Amino acid sequence: MTGLATALRTLAVTAAAGLLAVTGSVAAPAPPASAAPEPKAPREFVALGSVDRTILQEMRYTTAHNFVGEPVDGYRQPLCILTRPAAEALHRAQLRLLARGYTLKVYDCYRPQRAVDHFVRWAKDLEDERMKKEFYPLVDKSRLFADGYIAEKSGHSRGSTVDLTIVRLPAAPTRAYVPGERLVECWAPQEERFPDNSVDMGTGYDCFDTRSHTDDPRIRGAQRANRQLLKGALVEQGFVNLPEEWWHFTFEPEPFPGTFFDFPVARRSVAGR
């Protein structure tokens, strides 16, 4: 048995030597694939707070209080990121509003493509209607694409579009949303809707309803005046309103009119700016 074992060991050594002669090396296990680094924002992007610290930020998609009902992919921190020209234009609008006793409040700014993809997946899941009562009470979820409420691309991903409102100073605090709490239609009277410290715009933010159209004729009196105050302050600084959403404005000309970015909403994406 000893002689047989010795012979087998000799055969193994010889085979290994032959492999070395053919390949020049012995194959090593492949190293584990490393995760690709997260994309960062181009230098033209900034955190709004680095341009204007007085504008309030209530970043809805980092919370569960939105039409999806959960924090949205790509929103790592409650931070408004915009292209610098858009942020500087907001600052100019803010100065005008502060002089009149108001402040801007942003709900959403730059939106990564992965967040848009999250919206698309949610819209295709017709069983998930946990937030219907508040955000789309009169819209059949199967109609969200056809009616234009959800799309596979968003201008927010280009970095110069912002969703916002105005708040009368001094700003009252806004309580946190509690998942599972009773929901009220987004077009209900302001005193019945989820409490928001903004002035009365006739509907809440992200209300999937024609009442959200900026010039909807059913919106009158103080509500209409508030919408016009917001629109006037922003249009004066180069923003263009989306007629279907009183809260939605895009600064023009856009620095990136054809690019949809996917870096996460996080301080590290714009570190040092």
Side-chain angles (χ1 to χ4, degrees), residues 9-78:
R9 282 197 298 272
T10 301
L11 181 60
V13 170
T14 302
L19 178 62
L20 280 169
V22 173
T23 65
S25 63
V26 177
S34 58
E38 285 275 30
K40 294 193 70 174
R43 295 203 61 81
E44 292 86 348
F45 282 78
V46 296
L48 176 61
S50 69
V51 176
D52 191 310
R53 295 182 180 276
T54 68
I55 297 175
L56 303 179
Q57 299 188 30
E58 185 181 318
M59 309 303 291
R60 286 287 185 87
Y61 298 139
T62 64
T63 76
H65 190 214
N66 57 66
F67 57 85
V68 177
E70 62 188 14
V72 177
D73 291 354
Y75 287 87
R76 306 281 177 77
Q77 293 169 314

Side-chain angles (χ1 to χ4, degrees), residues 221-251:
Q223 297 173 340
R224 189 173 191 85
N226 289 335
R227 291 188 183 190
Q228 292 306 311
L229 176 61
L230 175 64
K231 182 178 178 180
L234 295 177
V235 168
E236 185 178 32
Q237 302 304 328
F239 286 91
V240 176
N241 175 236
L242 179 67
E244 291 77 20
E245 298 177 351
W246 60 257
W247 56 81
H248 180 117
F249 291 84
T250 298
F251 179 77

Side-chain angles (χ1 to χ4, degrees), residues 81-225:
I81 295 175
L82 290 169
T83 58
R84 182 174 289 279
E88 291 176 345
L90 276 190
H91 170 63
R92 295 192 297 271
Q94 174 74 343
L95 292 178
R96 298 294 186 92
L97 287 168
L98 287 174
R100 300 181 62 175
Y102 296 95
T103 178
L104 291 169
K105 180 174 77 170
V106 295
Y107 293 116
D108 191 37
C109 302
Y110 158 74
R111 180 184 303 166
Q113 181 61 43
R114 69 190 76 180
V116 180
D117 296 342
H118 190 167
F119 293 165
V120 170
R121 291 194 307 274
W122 166 82
K124 291 179 179 179
D125 180 4
L126 301 184
E127 300 300 317
D128 183 356
E129 292 191 328
R130 66 188 120 162
M131 303 301 284
K132 178 178 175 62
K133 176 72 172 179
E134 178 173 352
F135 292 96
Y136 52 108
L138 300 180
V139 180
D140 190 298
K141 194 175 181 183
S142 66
R143 296 284 309 170
L144 292 180
F145 289 102
D147 291 350
Y149 292 112
I150 300 292
E152 295 187 354
K153 296 291 183 182
S154 170
H156 282 273
S157 301
R158 301 194 295 261
S160 296
T161 295
V162 59
D163 293 342
L164 73 175
T165 187
I166 53 177
V167 176
R168 184 77 183 179
L169 294 172
T174 299
R175 73 166 177 82
Y177 166 76
V178 179
E181 69 175 85
R182 186 179 73 89
L183 302 177
V184 177
E185 294 88 348
C186 53
W187 37 257
Q190 186 182 36
E191 62 272 15
E192 298 177 16
R193 299 195 302 263
F194 182 85
D196 188 314
N197 60 359
S198 72
V199 299
D200 188 3
M201 294 291 190
T203 77
Y205 169 56
D206 262 353
C207 185
F208 294 4
D209 191 275
T210 54
R211 294 173 181 84
S212 294
H213 293 189
T214 306
D215 294 321
D216 186 279
R218 291 167 292 182
I219 304 301
R220 301 176 181 176
Q223 297 173 340
R224 189 173 191 85

